[in-house]
């Protein structure tokens, strides 16, 4: 069986045979084939099963509108479900399989559904499967779910790579058919930056599928000459295999380029590229889509759209049948008859719903005017048609033309609605187009070649002129201008058999009528109730027909009945393409500190902190549990000295004559009088009075401050301060710039911190307790002249400093610090030990500063100065935020010291049932304190500060635990703060 | 969306951070007798216009300007883009000038 | 007409000729006891519970488009009651209980499917927050489970555990959560309300309120003036526009939320999953489509459509979480208008105008709330006092300082 | 006493790679200082810049070159320019202070950014895969500077000549940034 349906002509390359496999059969096609044309060439027409009734289905169209011929393309993790065979470009070794059956395509067990069709009418599932209640989840739903969907994902990670890109143009021309080619040519000649995008791998649109003549020569020759001129223009970018799938605000279009889908393997290059195209003008030349007619059993393999039958013969040199009938309501259907006959394909009959004289002679064919087809025969392929006059004609292919619908999809993407045009019995673009878009050619309802050429040229010229360019109308090539007369005809009402409207979702005319009868009369309700137009083809061939049948049932006209809105994408786009490179480790950037490499050498375990990676702890040989490492780091720090990389804290350089006043406004506590050379803790509120962030700010000179923020809030705080600066207090002389990246910063903490630092701080700087007291700061040099900043601040509660050097020296400094610390047994400590020490000290951090808590909750209410205007001060006074029984941050320890506290436990008074009414607060942070030898926690509890010493239950039902805890001061360690001043 | 930045020309809105209604510039006087009510209204109540809307966008991945963009919330059409700093200064010079036309 | 398997069988045998309209298409009367403005899910549910549970049947639902054309007609159909705060959790748990008996109650199969909702966590702080939330749920009588990484892997082995930028550390699972067929919910409530005599009036837009001396006495509509003792606004997404007609400014902004569905696929994702290191949630519908979404676009909009940056952001998160969906194709994207409130939580309250009631501010979580929202609103309308689980959903809570801010994001609607 | 002198490291360890006619390399040894204009002090700063460097303060979005190419001023945001100059020391601010006195507020940015130079025939096509800006010479001519976002990273782009671009991204994500640019070049060459 070797391409026995291949006939002469077409633009396939017969010198390049390609092998492929379909459902296990080895077959051959040619370069230039689609999978569909190659299947038809091999006389394979039954290619899939429908969604609901599992009816045999064949290839219906020759384009992206295909509802039936969906295949599973490629194998293993490369497999791609629901691929339309009609647009899948054939390559050597292509592997495809049919979908949606149990058993085999030929013997599908689920085909039994077709027998039960009377019970599976539109919306049947809303009316049943409700009893007994338990059966829905156990029996009915699993059964329904099992029959869901068509194709199958592999379940494996998509192995291909994808890319994205951004293109900018003056004029985007969508579609490279006759109108698009002329638009691009005219615009391109004006000097405009033009992008011409076409979804096909062979530009030309319908010109490839027809036997038109242009300027007296064949249309393909004309296409080639236009393409060659376009390629020669440096200001024109021609993009094949590129579908413009969506129209977004302000001239932004989404496009998908299939860069390697036509190749056996992608060869390390992106499989697809998702382009964002920024245009000043767009000319939509997307052509038109043919639609069917509803009649009995109009869904069998071999029933095809007439334009598609013609396309297979003309473009691909394939006869879709040996004995073809045509059923049409317009002249265009007759072209299929004449084109096929000219190629030697036998035409059995032409059935035209219009009365009057036949528009053409077709040798040997039965001509039936004013007639229709009421039924078809054949199980896995059509074998005969029955006419309204009772005659039966044996056929193996039926070409149906119900007229053409302009592809108005992109005109509706910004919710514009199309208008109905009686002349062509179709929707055409409405007046409310996306800004900058114009429409030309068949997409606008111009259904003759001459009109397409003319309109395209005009639209291209107009777009260029709109942009101030000089565009002269290109010479319009001569072509046929014969309008295709149509008399609307939608539905053969005398058909007894089911008449399909939506082939993929198995929606029939009866379903539409039933929905209407049951009150689902708005088009939107109809669509939802019947699922019309909701399959993978989005009803491209079905929507207008469905509307027509609804209109017929309602006794209204189509425009009175309505239209459905088209949403992006025009054709489906892989999720991976939208993701581009952002997956796996590349999902988001990773920020590393200058000390990262050193930490990695120490075997640090890293943890994500926002975009940063931070050392969480530094295991030593022999340590098997993270707690061992963390306990050791805490104890060593408290005993001697530890070093922690705190580079990730946000740093903001604040300068200006009014910098102090500015800080006084953005912080709740006072900053105006902070002396030079000093650091102060700052509490920043949101305007709603909740705590936004905290940190320290140092005054380096009269007009120069450096602020630190938490790692998590660095970006948000900077943005907020720019808002305050630009929008609230625009007259202040204050300037902000982030210095987070500029410095590597380390905390050096512990009783020996000073001694350690004295070894590296250059001798001219005195950092003794007197010269450099707690909360002092200064610009110094270290290690023989490297500039540094030193801050005497402490999060750990120890004598501690933070030292910052330019990032280039960050690696050097940590090595120098560790070397200098060797004699003190200095340890590096990670974020866990940092957290343990701050909990021991009762310092709030992220779990406490969660955006739901106030300064008062934190026990810092008095820091909110009422003597000045600062962000958040007024709204923090609202009554519910100042209740007597409000939350307060306190410490907790287990009554049984051996027990471990859990974050997220809720506090319930002893003896009360754990319920919402008895819920008094929750545990925010817990740690094992190696210093104290037991578990400790911080948490918010009602009237907490009045309840020190009380025992309460920390209920943790989600982990099945409930333990008694004692409410204590949050300052577990060195409550008087003596160590920091040592 | 594209925001036509007054200094930089058209930029993808993805470079910006959106805050909300430009009335957030009109921060009340903290010492006014009805400051509590005024701050409540300032912080929480919105016109939420279906149509022309003046709103604050921050060019975070750009020049760090806060902009006031006049945009139609029904169509997304943008008719005016100003530097918020300029508007805020003008308002300070003349408190009656809210930047709104008419 | 009662729906049942037997009825489907009988109709199938007799050519499906006996099916009657699911609801009437009445013209509005001159006056009603209660007018519900908005024939979306919440409005229809309100009418249903008013007529079926509170004995008030002289009710009209006024819908400017077709019934169910609000956000009930376009959402990602998730139901869950996994909230943290006391102002929310009991309310959503009531909703969950109503979902559990809904279909038998209103005799319509809305395909409530309790397949489990899993929230993933990627940091210790998130896990702590999940524990706190899971415990809140338990204290309110809801179900919750805290899973570690192995627990998540056992449920969803196809997630990216090995190469993730933000490794999965565990999750909060609510097994009773799941999804429901959104249109079916609207239609079930509509049919159930209609059966009790409620007039559902489609294509009837409210153009103004009749307010005299601080009392709301009726509405102007495109089908004429209609009076009522009580007017119940229930138009989330359009709350600002409608309440402006009564002269009210609200703590609400309208934002666009996009949602997405893929082509139909054979079952592969059993339950509902939300990513914790980006904006992405996903489930698979009964028809096989992957239904997913993420963050709102972030700018005020009534345009019912969004833009590409969010589409890409959502798909990036999806691919980061489950790279096996890469070759599934996104079939349709759409945008709905959300009432984004100042603390991320809703309102069911009287207004300062007598006779005028307000229900809105549902942010992008209104679908799951549909039954409880309808029930509690009906309760408020019938008894003039809030239902016990909705006492905190008040309009004046910001003035008092009693926010219901689950995320702690503050008074910036696009952060909720 | 042992020599404790700290050794500086560049963000990308001197990366340099050639892809056909396209070259991607790290730029190091540059001083980068932000200069903020004091409120009301634009004329003074302008005058100081003119006399020190012989060029004007650039408007936001463009750059000027002073001292015969020894320094480039880039207008990054209203009231703020970045000065870029060849400098290997640790106190870049001092260099600017010497030239401009107290006419501006200065912040050292030399260590804040990883700098890559991309040049050659594929440069524009490669950048089109990650950069949302229109880099066509008609829109983005020589000397144009802009901050934008590429693969979720903030990037400053400066055009130098017909097909050369200086790209600056946060030092902490230097490796990711290099990966993004390198991948783009590979995808188009």
């Amino acid at each position: 069986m070797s391409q026995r349906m291949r006939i002469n002509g077409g633009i396939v390359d017969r010198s390049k045979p390609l092998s492929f496999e379909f459902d296990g059969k080895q077959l051959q096609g040619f370069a230039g084939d689609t999978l569909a044309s190659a299947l038809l060439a091999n006389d394979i027409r039954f290619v899939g099963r429908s969604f609901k009734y599992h009816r045999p289905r064949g290839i219906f169209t020759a384009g992206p509108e295909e509802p039936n011929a969906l295949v599973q393309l490629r194998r293993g993790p490369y497999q791609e479900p629901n691929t339309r065979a009609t647009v899948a470009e054939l390559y050597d070794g292509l592997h495809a399989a049919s979908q949606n059956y149990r058993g085999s395509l030929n013997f599908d067990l689920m085909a039994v559904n077709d027998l039960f069709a009377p019970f599976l009418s539109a919306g049947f599932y809303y009316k049943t499967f409700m009893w007994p209640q338990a059966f829905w989840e156990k029996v009915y739903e699993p059964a329904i779910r099992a029959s869901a969907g068509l194709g199958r994902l592999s379940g494996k990670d998509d192995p291909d790579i994808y890319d994205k890109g951004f293109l900018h143009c003056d004029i985007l021309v969508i579609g490279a058919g006759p109108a698009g080619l002329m638009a691009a040519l005219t615009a391109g000649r004006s000097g405009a930056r033009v992008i011409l995008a076409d979804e096909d791998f062979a530009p030309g649109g319908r010109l490839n599928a027809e036997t038109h003549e242009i300027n007296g020569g064949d249309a393909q020759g004309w296409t080639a000459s236009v393409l060659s001129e376009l390629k020669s223009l440096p200001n024109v970018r021609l993009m094949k295999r590129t579908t413009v799938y969506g129209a977004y605000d302000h001239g932004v279009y989404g496009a998908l380029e299939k860069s390697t889908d036509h190749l056996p393997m992608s060869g390390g290059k992106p499989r697809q590229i998702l382009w964002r195209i920024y245009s000043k003008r767009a000319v939509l030349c997307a052509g038109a889509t043919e639609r069917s007619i509803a009649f009995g059993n109009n869904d069998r393999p071999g029933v095809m759209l007439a334009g598609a039958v013609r396309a297979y013969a003309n473009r691909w040199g394939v006869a879709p049948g040996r004995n073809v009938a045509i059923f049409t309501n317009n002249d265009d259907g007759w072209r299929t008859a004449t084109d096929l006959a000219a190629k030697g394909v036998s035409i059995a009959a032409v059935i035209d719903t219009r009365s009057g004289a036949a528009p053409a002679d077709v040798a040997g064919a039965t001509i039936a005017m004013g007639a229709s087809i009421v039924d078809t025969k054949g199980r896995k392929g059509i074998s005969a048609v029955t006419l309204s006059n009772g005659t039966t004609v044996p056929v193996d292919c039926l070409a149906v033309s119900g007229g053409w619908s302009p592809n108005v999809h992109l005109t509706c993407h910004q919710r514009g609605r199309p208008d109905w045009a009686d002349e062509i019995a179709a929707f055409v673009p409405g007046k409310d187009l996306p800004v900058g878009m114009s429409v030309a050619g068949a997409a606008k309802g111009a259904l003759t070649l001459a009109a397409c050429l003319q309109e395209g040229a005009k639209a291209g010229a107009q777009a260029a002129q709109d942009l101030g360019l000089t565009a002269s109308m290109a010479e319009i090539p001569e072509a046929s201008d014969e309008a295709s007369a149509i008399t609307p005809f939608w539905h053969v009402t005398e058909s007894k058999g089911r008449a399909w409207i939506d082939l993929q979702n198995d929606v029939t005319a009866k379903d539409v009528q039933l929905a209407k009868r049951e009150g689902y009369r708005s088009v939107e309700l109809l669509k939802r109730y019947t699922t019309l137009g909701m399959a993978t083809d989005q009803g491209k061939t079905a929507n207008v027909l469905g509307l027509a049948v609804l209109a017929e049932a309602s006794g209204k006209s189509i425009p009175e009945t309505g239209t459905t809105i088209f949403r992006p994408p025009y054709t489906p786009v892989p999720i991976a393409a939208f993701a581009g490179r952002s997956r796996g480790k590349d999902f988001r950037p990773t920020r590393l500190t200058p000390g990262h490499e050193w930490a990695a050498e120490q075997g640090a375990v890293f943890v994500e902190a926002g975009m940063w990676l931070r050392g969480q702890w530094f295991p030593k040989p022999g340590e098997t549990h993270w707690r061992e490492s963390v306990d050791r780091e805490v104890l060593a720090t408290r005993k001697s000295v530890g070093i922690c990389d705190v580079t990730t804290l946000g740093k903001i350089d604040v300068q200006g004559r009014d910098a102090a006043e500015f800080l006084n406004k953005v912080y709740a506590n006072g900053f105006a009088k902070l002396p030079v050379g000093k650091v102060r803790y700052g509490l920043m509120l949101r305007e709603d009075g909740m705590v936004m962030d905290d940190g320290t700010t140092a005054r380096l000179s009269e007009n120069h401050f450096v602020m630190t923020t938490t790692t998590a809030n660095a970006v948000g705080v900077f943005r907020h301060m720019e808002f305050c600066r630009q929008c609230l207090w625009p007259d202040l002389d204050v300037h902000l710039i982030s210095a987070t990246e500029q410095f590597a910063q380390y905390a050096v903490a512990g009783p020996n911190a000073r001694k350690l630092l004295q070894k590296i701080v250059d001798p001219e700087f005195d950092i003794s307790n007197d010269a450099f007291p707690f909360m002092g700061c200064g610009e110094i040099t270290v290690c023989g002249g490297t500039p540094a900043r030193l801050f005497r601040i402490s999060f750990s509660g120890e004598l501690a400093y933070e030292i910052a050097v330019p990032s280039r020296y960050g690696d050097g400094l940590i090595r120098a610090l560790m070397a200098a610390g060797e004699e003190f047994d200095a340890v590096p400590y990670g974020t866990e030990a940092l957290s343990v020490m701050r909990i021991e000290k009762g310092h709030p951090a992220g779990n406490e500063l969660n955006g739901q808590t106030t300064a008062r909750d934190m026990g810092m209410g008095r820091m909110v100065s009422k003597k000045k205007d600062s962000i958040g001060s007024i709204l923090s006074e609202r009554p519910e935020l100042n209740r007597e029984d409000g939350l307060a941050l306190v410490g907790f320890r287990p009554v049984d010291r051996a027990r471990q506290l859990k974050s997220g436990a809720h506090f319930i008074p002893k003896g009360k049932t754990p319920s919402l009414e008895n819920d008094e607060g929750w545990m925010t942070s817990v740690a094992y304190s190696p210093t104290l030898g037991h578990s400790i926690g911080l948490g918010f509890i009602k009237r907490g500060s009045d309840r020190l010493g009380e025992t309460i239950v920390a209920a943790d039902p989600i982990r099945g635990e409930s333990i008694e805890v004692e409410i204590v001061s949050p300052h577990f360690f060195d409550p008087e703060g003596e160590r920091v001043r040592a | 969306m594209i925001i036509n930045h007054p200094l930089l020309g058209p930029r993808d809105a993805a470079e910006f951070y959106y805050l909300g209604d430009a009335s957030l510039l009109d921060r009340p006087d903290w010492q006014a007798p009805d400051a509590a009510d005024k701050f409540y209204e300032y912080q929480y109540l919105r016109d939420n216009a279906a149509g022309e809307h003046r709103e604050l966008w921050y060019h975070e991945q750009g020049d760090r300007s806060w902009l006031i963009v006049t945009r139609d919330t029904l169509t997304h059409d943008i008719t005016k883009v100003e530097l918020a700093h300029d508007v805020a200064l003008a308002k300070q010079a003349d408190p009656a000038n809210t930047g709104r036309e008419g | 007409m009662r729906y049942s398997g037997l009825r489907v069988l009988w109709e199938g045998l007799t050519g499906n000729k006996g099916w009657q309209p699911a609801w009437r298409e009445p013209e509005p009367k001159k006056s009603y006891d209660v007018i519900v403005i908005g024939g979306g899910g919440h409005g229809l549910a309100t009418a249903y519970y008013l007529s079926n549970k509170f004995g008030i049947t002289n009710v009209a639902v006024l819908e400017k488009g077709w019934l169910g054309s609000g956000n009930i007609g376009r959402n990602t159909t998730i139901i869950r009651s996994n909230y943290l705060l006391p102002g929310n959790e009991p309310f959503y748990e009531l909703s969950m209980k109503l979902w559990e008996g809904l279909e038998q109650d209103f005799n319509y199969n809305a395909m409530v499917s309790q397949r489990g909702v899993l929230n993933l966590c990627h940091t210790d702080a998130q896990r702590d927050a999940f524990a706190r939330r899971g415990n809140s749920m338990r204290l309110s009588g809801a179900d919750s489970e805290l899973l570690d990484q192995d627990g998540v892997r056992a449920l969803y082995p196809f997630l990216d555990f090995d190469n993730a930028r933000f490794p999965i550390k565990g999750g909060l699972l609510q097994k009773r959560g799941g999804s429901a067929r959104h249109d079916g919910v609207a239609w079930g409530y509509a049919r159930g309300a209609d059966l009790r005599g409620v007039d559902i009036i489609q294509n009837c837009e409210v153009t103004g309120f009749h307010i005299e001396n601080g009392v709301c006495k009726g509405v102007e509509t495109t089908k004429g003036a209609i009076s009522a003792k009580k007017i119940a606004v229930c138009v989330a997404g359009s709350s600002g526009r409608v309440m402006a007609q009564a002269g009210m400014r609200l703590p609400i902004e309208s934002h666009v939320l996009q949602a997405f569905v893929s082509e139909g696929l054979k079952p592969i994702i059993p339950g509902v999953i939300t990513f914790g290191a980006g904006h992405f949630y996903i489930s698979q519908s009964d028809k096989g489509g992957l239904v997913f979404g993420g963050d709102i676009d972030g700018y005020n909009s009534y345009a019912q459509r969004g833009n590409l940056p969010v589409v890409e952001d959502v798909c990036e998160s999806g691919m980061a979480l489950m790279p096996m969906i890469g070759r599934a194709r996104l079939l349709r994207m759409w945008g709905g208008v959300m009432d984004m409130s100042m603390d991320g939580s809703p309102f069911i309250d009287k207004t300062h105008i007598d006779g005028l009631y307000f229900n809105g501010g549902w942010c992008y979580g209104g679908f799951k709330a549909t039954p409880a929202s309808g029930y509690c609103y009906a309760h408020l309308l019938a008894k003039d006092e809030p239902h016990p689980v909705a006492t905190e959903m008040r309009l004046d809570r910001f003035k008092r300082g009693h926010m219901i801010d689950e995320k702690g994001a503050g008074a910036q609607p696009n952060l909720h | 006493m042992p020599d404790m002198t700290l050794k500086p490291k560049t963000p990308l360890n001197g990366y340099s790679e050639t892809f056909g006619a396209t070259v991607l390399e790290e730029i190091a040894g540059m001083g980068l200082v932000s200069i903020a204009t004091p409120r009301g002090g634009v004329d003074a700063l302008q005058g100081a810049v003119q006399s020190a460097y012989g060029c004007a303060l650039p408007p936001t979005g463009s750059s000027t070159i002073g001292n015969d190419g020894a320094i480039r001023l880039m207008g990054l945001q209203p009231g703020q320019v970045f000065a870029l100059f060849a400098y290997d020391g640790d106190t870049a601010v001092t260099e600017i202070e010497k030239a401009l006195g107290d006419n501006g507020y200065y912040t050292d940015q030399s260590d804040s950014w990883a700098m890559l130079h991309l040049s050659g025939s594929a440069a524009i096509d490669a950048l089109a895969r990650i950069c949302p800006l229109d880099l066509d010479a008609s829109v983005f001519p020589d000397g144009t500077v802009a901050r934008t976002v590429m693969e979720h990273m903030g990037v400053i782009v400066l055009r130098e000549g017909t097909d050369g671009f200086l790209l600056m991204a946060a030092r902490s994500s230097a490796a990711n940034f290099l990966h993004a640019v390198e991948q783009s070049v590979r995808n188009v060459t």
Side-chain angles (χ1 to χ4, degrees), chain B:
Chain B
M1 289 205 290
I2 306 289
I3 292 173
N4 197 3
H5 191 296
L7 304 175
L8 307 173
R11 291 297 195 95
D12 194 311
E15 292 179 346
F16 294 79
Y17 174 91
Y18 180 85
L19 181 64
D21 195 306
S23 64
L24 288 169
L25 253 66
D26 309 329
R27 190 166 177 272
D29 175 6
W30 69 292
Q31 288 175 309
D34 58 350
D37 285 349
K38 285 283 183 284
F39 268 89
Y40 154 70
E41 288 171 16
Y42 163 77
Q43 183 74 351
Y44 290 107
L45 298 186
R46 298 287 181 267
D47 289 339
N48 195 21
E52 188 177 287
H53 191 241
R54 292 177 80 244
E55 56 199 23
L56 282 158
W57 293 75
Y58 174 55
H59 200 190
E60 187 147 84
Q61 300 289 6
D63 77 339
R64 306 280 162 91
S65 285
W66 279 91
L67 302 180
I68 296 182
V69 175
T70 305
R71 189 178 57 93
D72 189 311
T73 57
L74 291 165
T75 62
H76 297 172
D77 285 349
I78 292 174
T79 47
K80 193 173 182 183
V81 185
E82 305 154 272
L83 291 171
H85 189 248
D86 290 350
V87 175
L89 275 175
K91 195 164 65 75
Q92 213 162 44
D94 170 14
N97 177 3
T98 61
R100 279 163 219 263
E101 283 163 11

Side-chain angles (χ1 to χ4, degrees), chain A residues 135-149:
Chain A
F135 267 44
W136 168 249
E137 246 138 28
K138 303 235 159 35
V139 182
Y140 304 134
E141 198 196 16
I144 290 179
R145 283 193 169 261
S147 54

Side-chain angles (χ1 to χ4, degrees), chain A residues 429-501:
Chain A
K431 284 154 207 74
D432 208 6
L433 297 177
V435 175
M437 181 192 279
S438 59
V439 191
K444 199 181 176 186
L447 296 178
T448 74
L449 179 53
C452 285
L453 295 166
Q454 163 100 22
E455 277 204 353
K458 217 169 92 186
Q462 184 63 53
Q465 283 161 11
D466 286 353
L467 300 174
L469 296 161
T470 315
S472 52
M473 284 283 283
E475 210 172 290
I476 310 294
E478 273 182 43
S480 147
D481 196 17
E482 219 171 296
S484 166
I486 180 169
T487 304
F489 183 93
W490 308 101
H491 179 202
V492 181
T493 45
E494 58 264 51
S495 281
K496 292 211 174 59
R498 280 170 292 165
W500 266 262
I501 293 171

Side-chain angles (χ1 to χ4, degrees), chain A residues 311-383:
Chain A
Y312 286 114
N314 291 334
R315 173 172 172 178
W316 287 287
V318 170
R322 293 177 179 79
N323 197 25
V324 180
I326 286 105
F327 180 28
T328 185
N329 65 0
N330 64 75
D331 291 349
D332 198 63
W334 289 81
R335 290 190 73 93
T336 302
T338 51
D339 281 10
L340 261 63
K343 290 197 165 258
V345 179
S346 153
I347 303 299
V350 183
I351 301 101
D352 193 328
T353 57
R354 302 170 300 173
S355 29
D361 268 339
V362 184
T366 305
I367 307 291
M369 297 300 294
S372 58
I373 293 179
V374 293
D375 204 358
T376 72
K377 291 197 170 54
R379 265 179 41 76
K380 289 170 184 167
I382 189 167
S383 60

Side-chain angles (χ1 to χ4, degrees), chain C residues 150-352:
Chain C
D150 289 340
V152 173
R153 199 191 286 264
L155 280 179
Y156 293 109
F158 53 78
L159 302 182
D160 191 346
F161 290 98
D162 304 322
N163 189 40
R165 172 70 183 79
F166 300 102
I168 297 164
K169 296 212 162 164
L172 181 65
L173 175 67
Q174 184 178 32
K175 282 187 175 158
R176 286 159 68 236
S179 64
R181 176 94 177 96
H182 57 116
D183 288 327
V185 175
W187 299 336
Y189 277 125
R191 183 166 163 273
D194 177 88
L195 282 172
R196 287 292 177 117
V198 171
D199 285 352
I200 300 168
I201 301 158
Q202 303 184 61
N203 303 307
C204 178
E205 184 173 358
V206 170
T207 54
F209 293 95
H210 282 184
I211 298 170
E212 283 172 33
N213 303 323
V215 181
C216 186
K217 300 191 161 171
V219 292
E220 277 299 336
T221 77
T222 49
K223 295 193 176 191
I226 311 174
S227 66
K229 294 181 189 131
K230 291 180 179 176
I231 314 289
V233 177
C234 199
V235 294
S238 300
S239 293
R241 275 198 277 197
V242 171
M243 295 311 279
Q245 295 173 7
M248 283 180 70
R249 292 173 85 214
L250 298 172
I252 287 174
E253 291 179 359
S254 294
H255 283 258
V256 59
L257 176 73
Q258 301 190 67
F260 312 94
V261 64
S262 79
E263 295 179 344
L265 300 161
K266 293 293 177 201
I268 191 149
I269 298 178
V272 182
I273 310 169
T274 68
F275 187 34
H279 297 282
F280 179 72
Y281 54 91
I282 189 167
S283 66
Q284 189 168 14
S285 79
D286 280 330
K287 289 212 281 291
L290 306 179
V291 182
F292 58 102
D295 203 3
I296 54 176
D297 269 42
Y299 43 80
N300 287 53
S301 175
Y302 288 91
Q304 290 192 296
R305 59 188 170 79
N307 279 291
L308 284 173
V310 165
V311 184
E312 295 180 22
D313 183 67
V314 169
C315 292
E316 287 172 4
S317 296
M319 284 300 286
L321 179 63
M322 42 175 79
M324 66 99 184
I325 60 171
R327 297 178 100 86
R329 297 187 195 88
L330 192 160
L331 176 64
R332 210 164 55 237
M333 52 181 88
W334 67 95
V337 182
M338 308 293 127
D339 265 15
M340 296 302 297
S341 73
M342 284 289 164
D343 61 358
S345 292
F347 309 96
I348 301 175
D349 202 359
K350 298 182 198 179
T351 69
H352 68 281

